[in-house]
Amino acid sequence: MQQNIEVKDKAPDSVGKPVKIQPAKGSTQHAPTDRIYVRDVKGRVETARRLLGFALMALFLLLPWLTYQGEQAILLNILDQRFRIFGLTLWPQDLTILAWIFMVSAFALFLVTTLWGRVWCGFTCPQTTWTFIFMWFERKIEGSRHQRMKLDQRPMDADKAMRKVLKHVAWLLVALLTALTFVGYFTDIRQLFGEFFLLQSGAWATGSVIFFTLATYGNAGWMREIMCTHICPYARFQSAMFDKDTFIVAYDEKRGEPRGPRGRKQDPRALGLGDCIDCNLCVQVCPTGIDIRNGLQYECINCGACIDACDNVMEKMGYPKKLISFTTERRLEGGKTKVFRLKSVGYGAALLVLTALLVLDILFRVPLELDVVRDRNTLFRENQQGFIENVYQLRIINKSQQADTFRIEVSGLDEIDYMGPTELRIEGGEVYTVPVTVAIDPYFLDASLIEIRFTVSSVSDSEVERTTQSNFLSTR
């Protein structure tokens, strides 16, 4: 919707001075530096969003405290390069599984966006969830939208200072709890909480907690809608996934226009008006400060606050609800929404294929890794029996979370003298390095470079086995 901009003429004595350009009267656009005072709203969409946000917040706070088989159930240990997710332990060698997880997540987001627009932003995005939590504390401490506006306009006094300090203390406490929980996904959370408050945590843990505390405090307390409208890239490329059948938050212009105030008992048709009474409540409850009546805008995060505000007004006026609703462009034009279309079917098929590949990769994953490294200091040597010896380092990783006993075997020639342990017991998630020596009678050597194979297999499970090839060097 095009808006006119009023430009004031410069006075003769103002040459060289900056001229402030004012937006047209009635404009609802906000500059990045403007403060948006969001009005509280109640309704079915807000209730659903709060319940979902509460469930996701509880899940975020509780997951790192869960234990599985005596250990932290979810621990993304970057320093040890080991991710433990309940019964699954991922190592750097399992990069394909992480790649599948990222691709499944990406296509799931594409499919959801194609079908239901930016519901991720409005209902599940951490930025949105924490912003609404911070706004809740703001309302409880400083009051309603009108009270907050009056509080900011009046000079500083004891009451204003107390409310401001209390609000920022509440924000910082929420941010600190968020940071401690988030860092707890990457280190032992019980140890982290105990050591942090006793000032005994390490430099990396302390620095990470402070950084994420300030980041949460800044993003949800100060930046808020700026993160959504100017920083987050999702709003920029979402239009590539939108079409006429994508569900969006939209205003029914045919029914609502022309808008204008009227009495509750007046017939809008007799006044030549639509159902919109131009109360601007849809703008006041919007966390990004836009007017949904101007059409679809990239700043809209589909939180549905304007839907509840408008439905409440329609109910009081005795008009049908859903003047603003979750709908599609095709439905607003009088057509029928098509759920199964080329774009949605394509994203859905890709999601199913990638999910199947992820499941297969996990099911057929062997929880054992074997690396063989030859001793580079001594290529080969001759022992007292006249046999040629090569020294190797076997690096065995038990990628499961249970201890197991593994058998070591060497093959490649009929006559091989293996010197080293034949069985090893390795704890779950342990990396075990063992030196071994392979000796061969020169009579059986017909080349200077012979391929041999090291095999490590589980004693308890014959399907858990790894074979790695290496070279045996000699004088021949």
Side-chain angles (χ1 to χ4, degrees), residues 13 35 42 72 122 164 188 202-203 219 250 257-258 260 294 296 314 332-333 339 342 349 407 419:
D13 58 347
R35 172 78 183 277
K42 294 181 180 179
Q72 187 170 323
K164 293 293 183 182
D188 190 315
N219 288 346
E257 300 296 327
N294 293 337
L296 180 63
M314 293 296 104
L332 288 175
E333 293 174 352
V339 177
L342 181 61
R407 184 183 297 110
M419 288 167 281

Side-chain angles (χ1 to χ4, degrees), residues 185-429:
Y185 279 89
F186 301 90
T187 187
D188 190 315
I189 192 168
R190 292 166 177 80
Q191 181 180 351
L192 173 66
F193 267 75
E195 293 181 348
F196 183 83
F197 289 108
L198 293 175
L199 304 179
Q200 296 177 354
S201 57
W204 281 105
T206 303
S208 299
V209 170
I210 294 175
F211 172 79
F212 286 111
T213 298
L214 296 177
T216 305
Y217 171 73
N219 288 346
W222 292 95
M223 300 184 72
R224 294 188 179 179
E225 75 283 348
I226 296 177
M227 291 292 298
C228 302
T229 59
H230 293 83
I231 299 177
C232 179
Y234 181 47
R236 307 298 178 178
F237 67 79
Q238 62 168 334
S239 59
M241 293 170 278
F242 275 32
D243 54 34
K244 288 189 174 183
D245 296 293
T246 300
F247 278 86
I248 57 175
V249 175
Y251 165 70
D252 191 347
E253 187 176 354
K254 294 180 180 179
R255 174 187 157 191
E257 300 296 327
R259 71 187 75 160
R262 81 293 303 270
R264 184 180 301 179
K265 297 182 179 180
Q266 290 181 295
D267 182 7
R269 304 296 177 263
L271 299 174
L273 297 174
D275 284 354
C276 179
I277 67 173
D278 202 19
C279 62
N280 272 342
L281 287 181
C282 57
V283 180
Q284 296 176 19
V285 300
C286 179
T288 59
I290 65 170
D291 189 342
I292 196 63
R293 297 171 296 180
N294 293 337
L296 180 63
Q297 299 150 74
Y298 75 88
E299 297 94 340
C300 177
I301 61 173
N302 276 26
C303 66
C306 55
I307 295 178
D308 285 333
C310 188
D311 281 352
N312 293 336
V313 173
M314 293 296 104
E315 185 176 8
K316 292 177 181 179
M317 295 297 295
Y319 301 162
K321 295 182 179 180
K322 297 186 177 181
L323 178 60
I324 301 175
S325 63
F326 283 109
T327 186
T328 65
E329 185 179 351
R330 191 179 301 277
R331 184 178 294 178
L332 288 175
E333 293 174 352
K336 186 177 180 180
T337 300
K338 301 176 183 178
V339 177
F340 298 101
R341 50 197 189 274
L342 181 61
K343 186 179 292 186
S344 62
V345 171
Y347 284 138
L351 179 61
L352 288 177
V353 171
L354 291 172
T355 303
L357 291 173
L358 170 62
V359 172
L360 290 174
D361 201 352
I362 294 176
L363 290 178
F364 290 99
R365 170 179 176 267
V366 178
L368 175 66
E369 196 70 32
L370 171 63
D371 293 325
V372 180
V373 180
R374 292 187 71 262
D375 186 356
R376 301 184 184 277
N377 295 323
T378 304
L379 296 180
F380 61 88
R381 66 192 179 197
E382 186 176 344
N383 62 17
Q384 295 178 351
Q385 298 175 317
F387 286 16
I388 303 299
E389 293 182 349
N390 280 200
V391 180
Y392 302 86
Q393 293 280 346
L394 303 186
R395 184 172 178 266
I396 306 172
I397 306 177
N398 182 4
K399 295 163 64 175
S400 69
Q401 296 185 4
Q402 295 81 32
D404 201 352
T405 300
F406 297 95
R407 184 183 297 110
I408 303 175
E409 298 175 344
V410 184
S411 60
L413 288 176
D414 294 335
E415 298 293 335
I416 292 181
D417 190 3
Y418 168 76
M419 288 167 281
T422 57
E423 287 189 358
L424 291 172
R425 184 167 180 81
I426 304 176
E427 298 296 325

